[in-house]
Amino acid sequence: MKIKIAITDEERNDAYYVRNTVFVEEQNVPPEEEIDEHENEATHFVGYVNEQPVAASRLRFMDQYGKLERICVRKEYRGNHYGKEIIQFMEDEIKNQGFQKAKLNAQTHAEGFYQSIGYKTISGEFMDAGIPHVTMIKQL
């Protein structure tokens, strides 16, 4: 997978396409919750396989953390480690920006995945967009 920071409108639209496919169509997140007031301040990432957008995420910097958000891989491309790849790319960007900690709110079904790549759960379960989540952190 080739991962890019979404600079152009086309790349950003590709990221939104993946997010819409996964979160709105597949997980029934309301569109007005998926695209929010933080889009313009975030750094967006998009992953391509054979020039098709298959993975997306966004990154914001808050307090002492790089906050990983909206991490997703289209259903038919899961199981190829693309989620791990895009997270590693984001973690590298966090370090490039001078931060040493990453934070994310994980859907509880993915908590084990994030633990397997070094994230530790620091919260109880809470609901976001009707889906149970936990907050996790990692020292980079």
Side-chain angles (χ1 to χ4, degrees):
M1 180 172 69
K2 181 178 181 179
I3 303 167
K4 301 173 87 172
I5 292 178
I7 303 292
T8 67
D9 287 344
E10 181 180 3
E11 291 165 345
R12 198 157 169 166
N13 286 336
D14 285 345
Y16 289 149
Y17 164 75
V18 176
R19 287 172 49 188
N20 185 70
T21 299
V22 173
F23 295 123
V24 177
E25 294 177 15
E26 184 182 333
Q27 297 184 352
N28 297 310
V29 172
E32 61 275 9
E33 287 187 47
E34 173 49 33
I35 302 299
D36 66 17
E37 69 275 12
H38 302 297
E39 301 301 339
N40 289 332
E41 70 188 69
T43 301
H44 297 266
F45 301 82
V46 61
Y48 295 94
V49 172
N50 298 324
E51 300 181 30
Q52 295 298 309
V54 303
S57 61
R58 76 176 188 191
L59 175 64
R60 294 189 299 138
F61 293 95
M62 315 171 75
D63 305 317
Q64 69 271 33
Y65 292 95
K67 188 165 187 263
L68 290 71
E69 301 177 324
R70 306 299 203 272
I71 302 161
C72 56
V73 176
R74 287 173 41 203
K75 192 174 200 168
E76 61 270 31
Y77 292 93
R78 291 181 197 149
N80 294 300
H81 306 287
Y82 296 150
K84 187 175 180 178
E85 284 182 44
I86 203 164
I87 290 166
Q88 181 63 59
F89 197 92
M90 295 173 78
E91 290 174 350
D92 290 345
E93 181 62 17
I94 291 168
K95 290 187 280 190
N96 289 342
Q97 296 297 324
F99 290 78
Q100 298 302 315
K101 295 185 211 173
K103 185 177 195 174
L104 55 81
N105 292 332
Q107 294 183 8
T108 55
H109 73 83
E111 186 176 5
F113 163 73
Y114 289 110
Q115 288 171 337
S116 77
I117 57 173
Y119 284 82
K120 295 185 181 4
T121 304
I122 61 162
S123 79
E125 188 175 299
F126 61 93
M127 297 299 281
D128 186 10
I131 300 167
H133 285 71
V134 292
T135 299
M136 305 182 81
I137 60 170
K138 180 179 179 180
Q139 182 73 37
L140 302 177

